[in-house]
Amino acid sequence: MSLASRRVARLAAFSLRRSAHASTSARYNSVNADDIAHFSKFLPTSTILSTLPPQSLPSSELSPFNDDWMNKYHGQSTTVVRPRNALEVSEVVKRCNERGIAIVPQGGNTGLVGGGVPIKDELLINLGNMNKVRSFDPVSGILVADAGCVLESLSEYLAPHNHIMPLDLGAKGSCQIGGNVSTNAGGLRLLRYGSLHGSVLGLEVVLPDGTILDQLSTLRKDNTGYDLKQLFIGAEGTLGIVTGVSILTAPAPQSASNVILALPKFENVLPLFVQAKRQLSEILSAFEFFDREVYDLAIKHGQGRALSEEDVEGAECFVLMETSGGKREHDEEKLNQLLETLFESDKPLINTGVLSQSPAQFASMWAIREGLTEAVSKEGKAYKYDISVPLAKFKEVVDTTREHLGSKGLLRDDAVKHVVGYGHVGDGNLHLNVVAAAYTPEIEAALEPFVYELVASYKGSVSAEHGIGVMKTHALHYSKSNVSIEWMKRIKQLFDPKGIMNPGKVLP
Ligand SMILES: Cc1cc2nc3c(=O)[nH]c(=O)nc-3n(C[C@H](O)[C@H](O)[C@H](O)COP(=O)(O)OP(=O)(O)OC[C@H]3O[C@@H](n4cnc5c(N)ncnc54)[C@H](O)[C@@H]3O)c2cc1C
């Protein structure tokens, strides 16, 4: 295929996506004043926000719900409802099912693939008012909570009970546990505590016809047939609305340390990871990588305290390593031994390392890593590719993408400003971020399907943890076979024959 015809094909793909959005909305009815009156029979007025009469709010009041975190995707929903319990969610969904109104379930709206905002004027069901802990058993560590509980508030709830949530991410102050489950969020603790497919023990879900599926089990072992809850973990709200979550939390570590290591070249990351695993074994709880360019952005945009000039000099990239365990002396001894080995080696893998000396320093070092996403979005408009590729290929992916954009003449201050990489090395998950002055069809056409083809050439995944949302429906086939997609469609059809639950998301 000639370059010119390939460009036409890519632009066609771009406009196809736009028209797919348009046809999605044509199948559904819009919310009208009768629907609002119906909702008002069982929802207090304060839990309905609408630009329709009788409220007639200005549309700006709905912007926090219609616009996504990156300000990249914009819905035009006229109405947001904020139910307080599963019964109210069920009543709203029953009405939508009868009337053929499309629904978008929404948590903290921190998703990065446009899944939590409408494509057009779907009804938004925001779970923020469902924010109570239902029970906690300090013996088993099992927590049962409403889906709208903010992740950080659950961590705060658990702290006095000496437990922690099995997941942690930079968006913890806003994202909700129901959103985390629905995106199968990974984050910073996956290396130690595994994925939500393992730690979620049960779910309560309102199905697309309004039925409440109560699978809120608190059992760690239950082999009684199909494990339905797994279908909703990572379904991004396309199969039902999660209203309650039962999750296994972990005992809080008695000691935790972190260290930022400055590396002269990326090639040293993998040998360092191997050595860290060997010497730290059970106390290694995080191993995060970020390149120099994104570190500089974090510092520029005030995320964490800068390392000294001396510490960053000559560094191509950094690794943030965390240890956590049960006995401070034991853990510190192991970490110190590793650092000694690294510094004393004939062929050192690292230039320098900064070991946290206080809880404040520990937090500040994590703030750099957790603030990378925010720093990137403060710098410009971010094209975010959250991919799984073999660890050895992390740098190659970033470099190849940068070269490709350069070959298109797009590496300019008024187009693409930065191409950066960071990620969870322990999970093989790279966040490739292209920071541009503006979102433009030209940059999108240069990036897609280029990035997805690159990922597929390494037999990787086009979404390691952020999900598919609306951003990647056309790219699903790079990571899922036709047979898998066909069965996903059948499952969707079974649960949601009218297709009202978050249409246009996940499935092409
Ligand atoms: C600064 C920052 C850092 C991040 N770091 C990470 C990270 O390390 N790892 C990671 O995996 N993600 C990360 N994310 C992405 C995002 O925070 C996660 O995807 C998070 O789990 C989304 O939760 P939410 O409540 O904000 O969901 P939303 O954004 O509101 O929704 C996300 C999707 O889930 C659906 N959904 C939400 N709630 C429900 C529900 N109750 N029932 C059914 N469907 C629902 C929505 O329809 C949508 O499809 C980060 C985002 C930001 C902004």
Side-chain angles (χ1 to χ4, degrees):
M1 197 190 269
S2 75
L3 272 183
S5 55
R6 226 193 287 161
R7 184 175 148 72
V8 171
R10 284 179 192 170
L11 288 176
F14 184 77
S15 54
L16 253 179
R17 245 175 290 152
R18 297 277 170 267
S19 59
H21 297 180
S23 68
T24 299
S25 59
R27 288 172 49 196
Y28 304 102
N29 289 315
S30 298
V31 177
N32 63 26
D34 285 347
D35 300 314
I36 305 282
H38 179 82
F39 298 148
S40 304
K41 288 181 196 160
F42 53 88
L43 289 177
T45 321
S46 61
T47 63
I48 305 173
L49 303 174
S50 183
T51 56
L52 303 174
Q55 287 184 329
S56 308
L57 294 171
S59 58
S60 57
E61 296 252 342
L62 270 63
S63 299
F65 306 95
N66 268 321
D67 301 335
D68 80 320
W69 190 86
M70 298 177 293
N71 211 14
K72 183 177 182 188
Y73 300 99
H74 307 280
Q76 300 138 44
S77 185
T78 60
T79 307
V80 183
V81 292
R82 310 190 77 203
R84 297 160 303 171
N85 53 52
L87 277 175
E88 289 181 356
V89 175
S90 160
E91 287 304 315
V92 173
V93 173
K94 275 183 194 157
R95 172 77 177 188
C96 293
N97 183 44
E98 274 162 30
R99 288 250 302 114
I101 296 170
I103 295 168
V104 176
Q106 188 179 71
N109 195 11
T110 66
L112 298 174
V113 288
V117 293
I119 289 174
K120 202 161 177 280
D121 66 349
E122 299 91 303
L123 173 73
L124 268 161
I125 302 187
N126 181 290
L127 278 289
N129 277 338
M130 290 191 62
N131 52 15
K132 297 195 179 46
V133 169
R134 299 190 192 178
S135 65
F136 176 66
D137 176 357
V139 177
S140 64
I142 296 168
L143 173 80
V144 181
D146 283 352
C149 289
V150 170
L151 179 60
E152 191 168 53
S153 66
L154 290 177
S155 298
E156 284 163 3
Y157 172 89
L158 290 172
H161 299 285
N162 269 317
H163 277 72
I164 59 168
M165 291 298 284
L167 78 161
D168 187 21
L169 45 143
K172 61 182 152 219
S174 305
C175 65
Q176 301 174 2
I177 190 65
N180 300 148
V181 167
S182 302
T183 54
N184 187 24
L188 308 163
R189 289 185 183 153
L190 193 132
L191 182 66
R192 166 65 67 86
Y193 300 109
S195 107
L196 290 172
H197 279 294
S199 50
V200 169
L201 302 179
L203 292 177
E204 176 188 79
V205 183
V206 174
L207 299 175
D209 66 356
T211 305
I212 300 176
L213 174 71
D214 184 351
Q215 291 226 324
L216 216 42
S217 163
T218 51
L219 303 174
R220 289 198 65 180
K221 297 179 91 172
D222 175 19
N223 274 353
T224 49
Y226 306 140
D227 190 359
L228 292 181
K229 70 169 184 293
Q230 298 295 352
L231 283 173
F232 300 96
I233 301 174
E236 302 181 55
T238 58
L239 297 180
I241 303 181
V242 176
T243 49
V245 177
S246 162
I247 189 165
L248 183 64
T249 67
Q254 298 306 301
S255 85
S257 299
N258 61 9
V259 56
I260 292 187
L261 302 168
L263 282 70
K265 51 184 191 263
F266 173 80
E267 286 69 20
N268 291 2
V269 173
L270 293 193
L272 179 63
F273 183 43
V274 171
Q275 193 158 347
K277 279 200 294 187
R278 195 168 47 226
Q279 282 191 243
L280 297 173
S281 56
E282 83 289 352
I283 63 164
L284 178 64
S285 51
F287 193 98
E288 298 285 314
F289 146 85
F290 40 101
D291 69 22
R292 175 63 184 267
E293 200 167 338
V294 77
Y295 164 82
D296 288 340
L297 289 182
I299 300 310
K300 175 177 170 189
H301 293 288
Q303 309 294 323
R305 255 219 343 260
L307 306 178
S308 73
E309 283 294 315
E310 220 179 15
D311 286 326
V312 297
E313 199 187 324
E316 184 177 85
C317 62
F318 301 89
V319 161
L320 189 157
M321 210 161 61
E322 185 196 72
T323 61
S324 49
K327 195 158 182 237
R328 178 162 297 282
E329 301 76 36
H330 165 265
D331 299 351
E332 278 178 2
E333 193 186 329
K334 273 186 139 179
L335 183 56
N336 285 333
Q337 267 169 11
L338 170 67
L339 295 177
E340 267 167 37
T341 321
L342 290 173
F343 281 121
E344 284 166 12
S345 156
D346 293 342
K347 290 185 190 157
L349 295 173
I350 59 170
N351 289 345
T352 56
V354 181
L355 182 63
S356 62
Q357 303 290 347
S358 65
Q361 219 178 351
F362 178 86
S364 160
M365 295 200 342
W366 263 121
I368 298 176
R369 169 60 190 91
E370 291 185 359
L372 297 177
T373 307
E374 194 152 339
V376 159
S377 75
K378 284 183 173 161
E379 179 70 7
K381 300 292 181 194
Y383 289 90
K384 301 179 92 53
Y385 298 96
D386 144 53
I387 54 187
S388 279
V389 285
L391 296 178
K393 302 295 176 193
F394 274 26
K395 184 167 186 294
E396 199 170 303
V397 169
V398 179
D399 289 348
T400 310
T401 306
R402 189 183 293 112
E403 279 160 25
H404 172 73
L405 291 168
S407 74
K408 302 263 170 203
L410 288 167
L411 289 183
R412 314 182 307 257
D413 266 359
D414 63 339
V416 173
K417 302 201 282 184
H418 304 276
V419 181
V420 298
Y422 56 97
H424 316 293
V425 172
D427 320 333
N429 177 189
L430 171 69
H431 295 306
L432 166 70
N433 281 223
V434 175
V435 191
Y439 293 123
T440 68
E442 195 190 8
I443 298 175
E444 183 165 337
L447 285 169
E448 296 176 23
F450 176 82
V451 172
Y452 300 131
E453 284 171 357
L454 192 61
V455 172
S457 73
Y458 298 127
K459 298 201 179 342
S461 167
V462 296
S463 177
E465 58 179 15
H466 294 163
I468 296 295
V470 70
M471 177 184 169
K472 299 180 188 166
T473 50
H474 63 294
L476 189 61
H477 69 95
Y478 288 103
S479 302
K480 285 269 188 289
S481 68
N482 288 341
V483 175
S484 304
I485 294 175
E486 180 52 33
W487 277 93
M488 284 167 72
K489 285 182 175 168
R490 288 193 200 185
I491 290 169
K492 168 76 176 169
Q493 174 69 20
L494 185 67
F495 277 89
D496 186 17
K498 292 188 182 172
I500 59 168
M501 205 49 85
N502 217 0
K505 315 290 169 60
V506 181
L507 285 167

